[in-house]
Amino acid sequence: MAAGGGGGAGGSSSSKTYSFKVVLLGEGCVGKTSLVLRYCENKFNDKHITTLQASFLTKKLNIGGKRVNLAIWDTAGQERFHALGPIYYRDSNGAILVYDITDEDSFQKVKNWVKELRKMLGNEICLCIVGNKVDLEKERHVSVQEAEAYAESVGAKHYHTSAKQNKGIEELFLDLCKRMIETAQVDERAKGNGPSQSGGARRGVQIVDDEPQAQSAGGCCSG
Amino acid sequence: MSLKSERRAIHVDQSELLCKKGCGYYGNPAWQGFCSKCWREEYQKARQKQIQEDWELAERLQREEEEAYASSQGAQGGQTSLGFTKFEEKKSNEKARKVTTVKKFFTASSKSVPKKDPEEKSGKPVQAGGRERSADILRDLKGLFVPPWELASSAEVLYDKLRDMKEAKAPSPSLTRQYSIETDRVSKDFIEFLKTYHKAGHDVYKQCKVFLETIHHKKESNIDELSEFTQDFYQNTADKLQMYWKVPPNKVEEAMDQIEKFIMTRLYKHVFCPETTDDEKKDLTVQKRIRALHWVTPQMLCVPVNEDIPEVSDMVVKAITDIIEMDSKRIPRDKLACITGCSKQIFNAIRITKNEPASADDFLPTLIYIVLKANPPRLQSNIQYITRFCNPSRLMTGEDGYYFTNLCCAIAFIEKLDAQSLNLSEEEFSRYMSGQASPKKQDTDIWDADTCPGVKQMHRNLDLLSQLSERQERIVTGAKKLEKDLIDWTEEVTREVQDIVEKYPLHIKANSQALASIDSENVEDDRLPPPLQPQVYAG
């Protein structure tokens, strides 16, 4: 809203609603779409899914009395669209980077994205690295230790999920939201409570300011 | 999308606010830093001088014309016939009219700019009178707005005042804005809408008017400044509605939509594709680029849409119409709605083809394909306009924002598109681009885009029919062959059987042994155990 990237909408702190934008990154076929569909619709591979599309989904949450509006932006994962990434993840509060545990390449892709995101957005953005398809544990090609160590090294959190068995997805999003709220709060405190209010007031003056001045001018004319 | 949380601080020094002449009253940037009285005085001089000059020029012109006419009259005087005089008369009339037009034109600047001059680029020629007049209007406006606490029923009074104001304004066309019917309707709706907000509505209207006037004076400034100014205005108004007037968030959003509609209908002409930017050049570049890429097929982009399904091809057409329609809308929100409409059609098309919800992996290539097919007019200008003047809350979050971002991605992709991104070799790509070759097209693609769909369909049907008749023939041949084969086979079998019968003639031997009968007495009774005999025990 008003505070854009900050994610916090104006208003008194008690009835504050956070709006977060989360981008979903990952190579094609790692199960990005299944993941969000499972989260937002609790459906998997269902022929009766009523959703028209799974590329932009929203979810309203209430975490500890704080209202959160989550907007999940799916991105095209094909290699040819890689260069378009920055247009998608600009101003986002969180990123979910999905790889397929049976596919080493998809993990390499995640590493590329992490580098890019950190370069473009710094530490403002909450990163989640997600190993999807843990139901295929037998065919695992990306070791748990490696993935978790990597996530820690870049300041991201690692999650194991299975969209098929509905494992770990709820936790992933809940955790991400909590972290985003924290970041937003830290951000607010850093700016101080003052600016958001006085800034608004001051800017309000800009327009109101003209009024007495013009009125006095009017008086000068009539007089 | 300069939505940085920290905004430009407005730094104003007291001395800067005062009139430049030092009369002690406040000055106004709109009056070049003078107070209205000093500004009038200053301006009066300059204006008088110009009016004088204009008059002189007009008079001189008229004199010259008259002299020329008189001299021509004198030179030809001897040979004029009756008919010729008539012609001369006509001509002189014409000349006189011309002169008065010229005169009118020059005097106009002192009184009023011609109202309905189609050539006039409204706003551009900030004429002497225009500026003065708008200042007057601004003051009128100020006068009209009594502070809210003095209004008995603010909504009613506001409405009346606005009506009066409109009437009062009607005879002063010098604002150099042409209020079209649409603009009028929008204002009426806006006022009606604001009535429901009571005092807050009054305040909003006032702010909007002040904002429009300010923008009006800022017209020459950089488009980015205007954009930032507009964005600031949106934010301030939203903040004020929420903080000061305590309007609930959903009502704030509604009001913001209306405000955007109201101000952007008025500003559209001045801020859409302004001459100060290279938007137009970019438009042309994109347009040329898309034209050069006419050969790209859905297969190259891996578009998951099967246009052979009539329903799907309908949706593709609708999507194309929607995206083209974007250019005709004035308000950023309406433009966004067109993009969203287009996206929804695409999702439907994908859903029917793939029978599952479309993900971004499917959506983006399809959108690119649609943009390539549609080649929407003034694409970059529209994108820039939306980015600069759309209410940021809509653009940053929400579904519309997502589709808008995708459209931006699609354009970025089209601009940078190369051989690799279409899975082609460099050589193929450059050959297609230069038009030396075109990819092997499917039947459906042979036709130009502007061919009548009915004709296309007919040709397709004819093709199908010829294919069908071919297949029919093949089937008939096959059937005949099968029939022949069957006959052959029967004959062969008969022949073979006869052969065998001849080879091994049937000898019926005499039946040496009677057929065994269960009922007969002596059936293998020798193998049966002896019949049980009753045993008698003594005792």
Side-chain angles (χ1 to χ4, degrees), chain B residues 181-217:
Chain B
I181 299 163
E182 193 196 336
T183 319
D184 261 356
R185 192 176 45 75
V186 169
S187 322
K188 250 177 226 160
D189 290 351
F190 186 55
I191 291 161
E192 281 298 314
F193 170 80
L194 285 180
K195 273 184 174 187
T196 59
Y197 284 71
H198 305 291
K199 281 184 186 172
H202 180 167
D203 184 61
V204 164
Y205 191 82
K206 185 164 64 173
Q207 297 219 16
C208 285
K209 276 293 179 188
V210 174
F211 168 78
L212 284 173
E213 289 301 334
T214 322
I215 283 272
H216 193 65
H217 292 301

mmCIF file of all heavy atoms in Angstrom, chain B residues 181-217:
data_model
loop_
_atom_site.group_PDB
_atom_site.id
_atom_site.type_symbol
_atom_site.label_atom_id
_atom_site.label_comp_id
_atom_site.label_asym_id
_atom_site.label_seq_id
_atom_site.Cartn_x
_atom_site.Cartn_y
_atom_site.Cartn_z
ATOM 1 N N ILE B 181 -17.814 15.928 -23.355
ATOM 2 C CA ILE B 181 -19.006 15.386 -22.703
ATOM 3 C C ILE B 181 -18.596 14.393 -21.631
ATOM 4 O O ILE B 181 -19.131 14.375 -20.535
ATOM 5 C CB ILE B 181 -19.911 14.708 -23.745
ATOM 6 C CG1 ILE B 181 -20.349 15.759 -24.765
ATOM 7 C CG2 ILE B 181 -21.116 14.077 -23.089
ATOM 8 C CD1 ILE B 181 -20.887 15.193 -26.040
ATOM 9 N N GLU B 182 -17.577 13.609 -21.979
ATOM 10 C CA GLU B 182 -17.161 12.578 -21.037
ATOM 11 C C GLU B 182 -16.646 13.212 -19.747
ATOM 12 O O GLU B 182 -16.999 12.797 -18.641
ATOM 13 C CB GLU B 182 -16.071 11.709 -21.667
ATOM 14 C CG GLU B 182 -15.830 10.447 -20.880
ATOM 15 C CD GLU B 182 -14.536 9.767 -21.246
ATOM 16 O OE1 GLU B 182 -14.063 9.995 -22.374
ATOM 17 O OE2 GLU B 182 -14.009 9.043 -20.422
ATOM 18 N N THR B 183 -15.825 14.234 -19.913
ATOM 19 C CA THR B 183 -15.262 14.892 -18.746
ATOM 20 C C THR B 183 -16.375 15.424 -17.863
ATOM 21 O O THR B 183 -16.332 15.312 -16.643
ATOM 22 C CB THR B 183 -14.352 16.042 -19.180
ATOM 23 O OG1 THR B 183 -13.603 15.606 -20.303
ATOM 24 C CG2 THR B 183 -13.422 16.450 -18.080
ATOM 25 N N ASP B 184 -17.368 16.002 -18.510
ATOM 26 C CA ASP B 184 -18.498 16.533 -17.772
ATOM 27 C C ASP B 184 -19.203 15.445 -16.980
ATOM 28 O O ASP B 184 -19.513 15.617 -15.812
ATOM 29 C CB ASP B 184 -19.506 17.158 -18.753
ATOM 30 C CG ASP B 184 -19.338 18.655 -18.805
ATOM 31 O OD1 ASP B 184 -18.510 19.164 -18.037
ATOM 32 O OD2 ASP B 184 -20.038 19.297 -19.607
ATOM 33 N N ARG B 185 -19.412 14.354 -17.663
ATOM 34 C CA ARG B 185 -20.114 13.243 -17.016
ATOM 35 C C ARG B 185 -19.313 12.752 -15.814
ATOM 36 O O ARG B 185 -19.849 12.496 -14.740
ATOM 37 C CB ARG B 185 -20.322 12.108 -18.025
ATOM 38 C CG ARG B 185 -21.276 11.042 -17.561
ATOM 39 C CD ARG B 185 -21.508 10.013 -18.653
ATOM 40 N NE ARG B 185 -20.286 9.594 -19.309
ATOM 41 C CZ ARG B 185 -19.402 8.773 -18.754
ATOM 42 N NH1 ARG B 185 -19.622 8.266 -17.569
ATOM 43 N NH2 ARG B 185 -18.312 8.424 -19.411
ATOM 44 N N VAL B 186 -18.008 12.641 -16.026
ATOM 45 C CA VAL B 186 -17.144 12.164 -14.950
ATOM 46 C C VAL B 186 -17.225 13.109 -13.758
ATOM 47 O O VAL B 186 -17.342 12.677 -12.617
ATOM 48 C CB VAL B 186 -15.689 12.020 -15.450
ATOM 49 C CG1 VAL B 186 -14.742 11.789 -14.294
ATOM 50 C CG2 VAL B 186 -15.585 10.880 -16.445
ATOM 51 N N SER B 187 -17.218 14.422 -14.038
ATOM 52 C CA SER B 187 -17.297 15.373 -12.919
ATOM 53 C C SER B 187 -18.597 15.214 -12.175
ATOM 54 O O SER B 187 -18.624 15.215 -10.950
ATOM 55 C CB SER B 187 -17.205 16.808 -13.415
ATOM 56 O OG SER B 187 -16.302 16.916 -14.442
ATOM 57 N N LYS B 188 -19.675 15.081 -12.921
ATOM 58 C CA LYS B 188 -20.972 14.940 -12.280
ATOM 59 C C LYS B 188 -20.994 13.711 -11.389
ATOM 60 O O LYS B 188 -21.413 13.769 -10.235
ATOM 61 C CB LYS B 188 -22.071 14.832 -13.342
ATOM 62 C CG LYS B 188 -22.945 16.079 -13.366
ATOM 63 C CD LYS B 188 -23.981 15.974 -14.468
ATOM 64 C CE LYS B 188 -24.040 17.266 -15.229
ATOM 65 N NZ LYS B 188 -24.627 17.136 -16.546
ATOM 66 N N ASP B 189 -20.522 12.603 -11.953
ATOM 67 C CA ASP B 189 -20.483 11.359 -11.180
ATOM 68 C C ASP B 189 -19.653 11.548 -9.924
ATOM 69 O O ASP B 189 -19.992 11.074 -8.844
ATOM 70 C CB ASP B 189 -19.880 10.224 -12.014
ATOM 71 C CG ASP B 189 -20.806 9.809 -13.129
ATOM 72 O OD1 ASP B 189 -21.958 10.286 -13.120
ATOM 73 O OD2 ASP B 189 -20.382 9.025 -13.998
ATOM 74 N N PHE B 190 -18.524 12.234 -10.116
ATOM 75 C CA PHE B 190 -17.589 12.417 -9.021
ATOM 76 C C PHE B 190 -18.261 13.206 -7.894
ATOM 77 O O PHE B 190 -18.173 12.840 -6.717
ATOM 78 C CB PHE B 190 -16.365 13.157 -9.544
ATOM 79 C CG PHE B 190 -15.250 13.289 -8.541
ATOM 80 C CD1 PHE B 190 -14.729 12.171 -7.922
ATOM 81 C CD2 PHE B 190 -14.727 14.533 -8.231
ATOM 82 C CE1 PHE B 190 -13.697 12.281 -7.009
ATOM 83 C CE2 PHE B 190 -13.690 14.646 -7.326
ATOM 84 C CZ PHE B 190 -13.179 13.530 -6.708
ATOM 85 N N ILE B 191 -18.959 14.254 -8.273
ATOM 86 C CA ILE B 191 -19.614 15.083 -7.263
ATOM 87 C C ILE B 191 -20.696 14.282 -6.560
ATOM 88 O O ILE B 191 -20.803 14.293 -5.335
ATOM 89 C CB ILE B 191 -20.195 16.352 -7.917
ATOM 90 C CG1 ILE B 191 -19.048 17.253 -8.360
ATOM 91 C CG2 ILE B 191 -21.084 17.092 -6.943
ATOM 92 C CD1 ILE B 191 -19.425 18.286 -9.377
ATOM 93 N N GLU B 192 -21.455 13.529 -7.365
ATOM 94 C CA GLU B 192 -22.489 12.686 -6.784
ATOM 95 C C GLU B 192 -21.880 11.724 -5.781
ATOM 96 O O GLU B 192 -22.386 11.527 -4.679
ATOM 97 C CB GLU B 192 -23.212 11.892 -7.886
ATOM 98 C CG GLU B 192 -24.250 12.687 -8.639
ATOM 99 C CD GLU B 192 -25.371 13.161 -7.731
ATOM 100 O OE1 GLU B 192 -25.871 12.352 -6.928
ATOM 101 O OE2 GLU B 192 -25.727 14.360 -7.818
ATOM 102 N N PHE B 193 -20.771 11.149 -6.203
ATOM 103 C CA PHE B 193 -20.096 10.162 -5.366
ATOM 104 C C PHE B 193 -19.614 10.797 -4.071
ATOM 105 O O PHE B 193 -19.789 10.254 -2.991
ATOM 106 C CB PHE B 193 -18.921 9.558 -6.135
ATOM 107 C CG PHE B 193 -18.015 8.718 -5.296
ATOM 108 C CD1 PHE B 193 -18.357 7.422 -4.987
ATOM 109 C CD2 PHE B 193 -16.815 9.226 -4.817
ATOM 110 C CE1 PHE B 193 -17.538 6.647 -4.199
ATOM 111 C CE2 PHE B 193 -15.993 8.460 -4.029
ATOM 112 C CZ PHE B 193 -16.356 7.160 -3.716
ATOM 113 N N LEU B 194 -19.028 11.975 -4.184
ATOM 114 C CA LEU B 194 -18.448 12.622 -3.006
ATOM 115 C C LEU B 194 -19.521 13.048 -2.007
ATOM 116 O O LEU B 194 -19.239 13.198 -0.832
ATOM 117 C CB LEU B 194 -17.622 13.832 -3.427
ATOM 118 C CG LEU B 194 -16.278 13.507 -4.046
ATOM 119 C CD1 LEU B 194 -15.557 14.770 -4.418
ATOM 120 C CD2 LEU B 194 -15.408 12.665 -3.121
ATOM 121 N N LYS B 195 -20.743 13.202 -2.489
ATOM 122 C CA LYS B 195 -21.825 13.559 -1.583
ATOM 123 C C LYS B 195 -21.933 12.553 -0.456
ATOM 124 O O LYS B 195 -22.277 12.907 0.665
ATOM 125 C CB LYS B 195 -23.152 13.588 -2.343
ATOM 126 C CG LYS B 195 -23.440 14.915 -2.998
ATOM 127 C CD LYS B 195 -24.816 14.828 -3.608
ATOM 128 C CE LYS B 195 -25.275 16.135 -4.165
ATOM 129 N NZ LYS B 195 -26.671 16.033 -4.601
ATOM 130 N N THR B 196 -21.661 11.307 -0.766
ATOM 131 C CA THR B 196 -21.795 10.268 0.250
ATOM 132 C C THR B 196 -20.714 10.381 1.320
ATOM 133 O O THR B 196 -20.769 9.703 2.324
ATOM 134 C CB THR B 196 -21.732 8.874 -0.385
ATOM 135 O OG1 THR B 196 -20.469 8.758 -1.047
ATOM 136 C CG2 THR B 196 -22.837 8.665 -1.396
ATOM 137 N N TYR B 197 -19.714 11.206 1.062
ATOM 138 C CA TYR B 197 -18.627 11.325 2.030
ATOM 139 C C TYR B 197 -18.768 12.587 2.884
ATOM 140 O O TYR B 197 -17.897 12.905 3.671
ATOM 141 C CB TYR B 197 -17.265 11.337 1.319
ATOM 142 C CG TYR B 197 -16.854 9.976 0.856
ATOM 143 C CD1 TYR B 197 -17.494 9.358 -0.204
ATOM 144 C CD2 TYR B 197 -15.815 9.301 1.483
ATOM 145 C CE1 TYR B 197 -17.133 8.105 -0.623
ATOM 146 C CE2 TYR B 197 -15.428 8.042 1.068
ATOM 147 C CZ TYR B 197 -16.093 7.450 0.007
ATOM 148 O OH TYR B 197 -15.712 6.199 -0.408
ATOM 149 N N HIS B 198 -19.812 13.338 2.647
ATOM 150 C CA HIS B 198 -20.076 14.557 3.415
ATOM 151 C C HIS B 198 -18.876 15.494 3.433
ATOM 152 O O HIS B 198 -18.330 15.804 2.388
ATOM 153 C CB HIS B 198 -20.559 14.183 4.824
ATOM 154 C CG HIS B 198 -21.747 13.270 4.757
ATOM 155 N ND1 HIS B 198 -22.979 13.690 4.317
ATOM 156 C CD2 HIS B 198 -21.847 11.947 5.001
ATOM 157 C CE1 HIS B 198 -23.812 12.667 4.327
ATOM 158 N NE2 HIS B 198 -23.152 11.599 4.718
ATOM 159 N N LYS B 199 -18.456 15.851 4.642
ATOM 160 C CA LYS B 199 -17.402 16.865 4.742
ATOM 161 C C LYS B 199 -16.109 16.409 4.089
ATOM 162 O O LYS B 199 -15.414 17.190 3.442
ATOM 163 C CB LYS B 199 -17.160 17.200 6.205
ATOM 164 C CG LYS B 199 -18.230 18.141 6.741
ATOM 165 C CD LYS B 199 -17.913 18.542 8.149
ATOM 166 C CE LYS B 199 -19.060 19.352 8.727
ATOM 167 N NZ LYS B 199 -18.879 19.605 10.150
ATOM 168 N N ALA B 200 -15.810 15.137 4.272
ATOM 169 C CA ALA B 200 -14.575 14.620 3.673
ATOM 170 C C ALA B 200 -14.641 14.790 2.164
ATOM 171 O O ALA B 200 -13.653 15.144 1.512
ATOM 172 C CB ALA B 200 -14.397 13.159 4.046
ATOM 173 N N GLY B 201 -15.830 14.559 1.615
ATOM 174 C CA GLY B 201 -16.005 14.694 0.172
ATOM 175 C C GLY B 201 -15.744 16.115 -0.274
ATOM 176 O O GLY B 201 -15.062 16.355 -1.280
ATOM 177 N N HIS B 202 -16.235 17.031 0.467
ATOM 178 C CA HIS B 202 -16.006 18.444 0.189
ATOM 179 C C HIS B 202 -14.511 18.749 0.152
ATOM 180 O O HIS B 202 -13.984 19.328 -0.801
ATOM 181 C CB HIS B 202 -16.706 19.248 1.295
ATOM 182 C CG HIS B 202 -16.557 20.730 1.146
ATOM 183 N ND1 HIS B 202 -17.307 21.615 1.851
ATOM 184 C CD2 HIS B 202 -15.731 21.474 0.389
ATOM 185 C CE1 HIS B 202 -16.955 22.838 1.538
ATOM 186 N NE2 HIS B 202 -16.004 22.777 0.646
ATOM 187 N N ASP B 203 -13.869 18.277 1.181
ATOM 188 C CA ASP B 203 -12.435 18.504 1.286
ATOM 189 C C ASP B 203 -11.699 17.896 0.102
ATOM 190 O O ASP B 203 -10.816 18.513 -0.497
ATOM 191 C CB ASP B 203 -11.941 17.891 2.596
ATOM 192 C CG ASP B 203 -10.472 18.176 2.811
ATOM 193 O OD1 ASP B 203 -10.135 19.359 2.889
ATOM 194 O OD2 ASP B 203 -9.688 17.217 2.873
ATOM 195 N N VAL B 204 -12.103 16.666 -0.230
ATOM 196 C CA VAL B 204 -11.447 15.976 -1.342
ATOM 197 C C VAL B 204 -11.617 16.773 -2.627
ATOM 198 O O VAL B 204 -10.667 16.960 -3.388
ATOM 199 C CB VAL B 204 -12.020 14.547 -1.499
ATOM 200 C CG1 VAL B 204 -11.663 13.966 -2.854
ATOM 201 C CG2 VAL B 204 -11.514 13.646 -0.396
ATOM 202 N N TYR B 205 -12.830 17.254 -2.825
ATOM 203 C CA TYR B 205 -13.069 17.985 -4.069
ATOM 204 C C TYR B 205 -12.184 19.223 -4.141
ATOM 205 O O TYR B 205 -11.577 19.517 -5.171
ATOM 206 C CB TYR B 205 -14.547 18.386 -4.174
ATOM 207 C CG TYR B 205 -14.894 18.905 -5.537
ATOM 208 C CD1 TYR B 205 -15.162 18.011 -6.569
ATOM 209 C CD2 TYR B 205 -14.888 20.257 -5.823
ATOM 210 C CE1 TYR B 205 -15.447 18.459 -7.838
ATOM 211 C CE2 TYR B 205 -15.163 20.719 -7.083
ATOM 212 C CZ TYR B 205 -15.447 19.817 -8.093
ATOM 213 O OH TYR B 205 -15.710 20.262 -9.355
ATOM 214 N N LYS B 206 -12.097 19.889 -3.035
ATOM 215 C CA LYS B 206 -11.287 21.100 -2.981
ATOM 216 C C LYS B 206 -9.828 20.767 -3.318
ATOM 217 O O LYS B 206 -9.190 21.426 -4.138
ATOM 218 C CB LYS B 206 -11.399 21.697 -1.575
ATOM 219 C CG LYS B 206 -10.687 23.016 -1.435
ATOM 220 C CD LYS B 206 -11.138 23.756 -0.194
ATOM 221 C CE LYS B 206 -10.762 23.000 1.061
ATOM 222 N NZ LYS B 206 -11.039 23.749 2.282
ATOM 223 N N GLN B 207 -9.360 19.714 -2.676
ATOM 224 C CA GLN B 207 -7.958 19.333 -2.901
ATOM 225 C C GLN B 207 -7.712 18.966 -4.354
ATOM 226 O O GLN B 207 -6.680 19.298 -4.925
ATOM 227 C CB GLN B 207 -7.600 18.162 -1.995
ATOM 228 C CG GLN B 207 -7.694 18.548 -0.546
ATOM 229 C CD GLN B 207 -6.577 17.942 0.259
ATOM 230 O OE1 GLN B 207 -5.598 17.487 -0.306
ATOM 231 N NE2 GLN B 207 -6.721 17.964 1.556
ATOM 232 N N CYS B 208 -8.684 18.246 -4.934
ATOM 233 C CA CYS B 208 -8.536 17.841 -6.331
ATOM 234 C C CYS B 208 -8.435 19.073 -7.213
ATOM 235 O O CYS B 208 -7.600 19.136 -8.127
ATOM 236 C CB CYS B 208 -9.727 17.006 -6.774
ATOM 237 S SG CYS B 208 -9.694 15.363 -6.124
ATOM 238 N N LYS B 209 -9.295 20.030 -6.954
ATOM 239 C CA LYS B 209 -9.307 21.234 -7.783
ATOM 240 C C LYS B 209 -7.977 21.966 -7.663
ATOM 241 O O LYS B 209 -7.387 22.383 -8.668
ATOM 242 C CB LYS B 209 -10.463 22.147 -7.333
ATOM 243 C CG LYS B 209 -11.774 21.756 -7.961
ATOM 244 C CD LYS B 209 -11.712 22.018 -9.459
ATOM 245 C CE LYS B 209 -13.010 21.607 -10.141
ATOM 246 N NZ LYS B 209 -12.889 21.687 -11.602
ATOM 247 N N VAL B 210 -7.526 22.105 -6.424
ATOM 248 C CA VAL B 210 -6.254 22.791 -6.205
ATOM 249 C C VAL B 210 -5.139 22.042 -6.916
ATOM 250 O O VAL B 210 -4.287 22.623 -7.590
ATOM 251 C CB VAL B 210 -5.964 22.915 -4.696
ATOM 252 C CG1 VAL B 210 -4.582 23.503 -4.480
ATOM 253 C CG2 VAL B 210 -7.022 23.764 -4.032
ATOM 254 N N PHE B 211 -5.201 20.722 -6.794
ATOM 255 C CA PHE B 211 -4.190 19.894 -7.440
ATOM 256 C C PHE B 211 -4.194 20.110 -8.948
ATOM 257 O O PHE B 211 -3.145 20.312 -9.571
ATOM 258 C CB PHE B 211 -4.469 18.433 -7.106
ATOM 259 C CG PHE B 211 -3.668 17.464 -7.931
ATOM 260 C CD1 PHE B 211 -2.344 17.225 -7.636
ATOM 261 C CD2 PHE B 211 -4.248 16.801 -9.003
ATOM 262 C CE1 PHE B 211 -1.607 16.354 -8.399
ATOM 263 C CE2 PHE B 211 -3.515 15.932 -9.767
ATOM 264 C CZ PHE B 211 -2.184 15.706 -9.467
ATOM 265 N N LEU B 212 -5.401 20.113 -9.528
ATOM 266 C CA LEU B 212 -5.486 20.277 -10.978
ATOM 267 C C LEU B 212 -4.941 21.638 -11.405
ATOM 268 O O LEU B 212 -4.236 21.746 -12.418
ATOM 269 C CB LEU B 212 -6.936 20.132 -11.432
ATOM 270 C CG LEU B 212 -7.456 18.700 -11.457
ATOM 271 C CD1 LEU B 212 -8.938 18.680 -11.748
ATOM 272 C CD2 LEU B 212 -6.704 17.875 -12.481
ATOM 273 N N GLU B 213 -5.257 22.649 -10.625
ATOM 274 C CA GLU B 213 -4.752 23.978 -10.976
ATOM 275 C C GLU B 213 -3.233 23.998 -10.916
ATOM 276 O O GLU B 213 -2.574 24.551 -11.789
ATOM 277 C CB GLU B 213 -5.321 25.040 -10.014
ATOM 278 C CG GLU B 213 -6.802 25.310 -10.211
ATOM 279 C CD GLU B 213 -7.132 25.780 -11.611
ATOM 280 O OE1 GLU B 213 -6.249 26.360 -12.273
ATOM 281 O OE2 GLU B 213 -8.272 25.559 -12.055
ATOM 282 N N THR B 214 -2.711 23.382 -9.855
ATOM 283 C CA THR B 214 -1.260 23.381 -9.691
ATOM 284 C C THR B 214 -0.598 22.675 -10.861
ATOM 285 O O THR B 214 0.372 23.161 -11.438
ATOM 286 C CB THR B 214 -0.874 22.698 -8.374
ATOM 287 O OG1 THR B 214 -1.832 23.046 -7.392
ATOM 288 C CG2 THR B 214 0.509 23.124 -7.928
ATOM 289 N N ILE B 215 -1.162 21.544 -11.203
ATOM 290 C CA ILE B 215 -0.617 20.787 -12.337
ATOM 291 C C ILE B 215 -0.696 21.642 -13.600
ATOM 292 O O ILE B 215 0.218 21.688 -14.410
ATOM 293 C CB ILE B 215 -1.429 19.479 -12.548
ATOM 294 C CG1 ILE B 215 -1.044 18.437 -11.509
ATOM 295 C CG2 ILE B 215 -1.218 18.938 -13.943
ATOM 296 C CD1 ILE B 215 0.105 17.552 -11.867
ATOM 297 N N HIS B 216 -1.798 22.333 -13.705
ATOM 298 C CA HIS B 216 -2.018 23.168 -14.872
ATOM 299 C C HIS B 216 -0.888 24.180 -15.026
ATOM 300 O O HIS B 216 -0.426 24.453 -16.136
ATOM 301 C CB HIS B 216 -3.353 23.896 -14.698
ATOM 302 C CG HIS B 216 -3.839 24.537 -15.939
ATOM 303 N ND1 HIS B 216 -4.197 23.796 -17.036
ATOM 304 C CD2 HIS B 216 -4.002 25.827 -16.270
ATOM 305 C CE1 HIS B 216 -4.577 24.616 -17.988
ATOM 306 N NE2 HIS B 216 -4.465 25.854 -17.556
ATOM 307 N N HIS B 217 -0.439 24.706 -13.915
ATOM 308 C CA HIS B 217 0.634 25.692 -13.988
ATOM 309 C C HIS B 217 1.991 25.043 -14.153
ATOM 310 O O HIS B 217 2.948 25.698 -14.548
ATOM 311 C CB HIS B 217 0.634 26.552 -12.725
ATOM 312 C CG HIS B 217 -0.581 27.420 -12.645
ATOM 313 N ND1 HIS B 217 -0.866 28.328 -13.619
ATOM 314 C CD2 HIS B 217 -1.584 27.476 -11.741
ATOM 315 C CE1 HIS B 217 -2.006 28.921 -13.299
ATOM 316 N NE2 HIS B 217 -2.466 28.409 -12.178
#
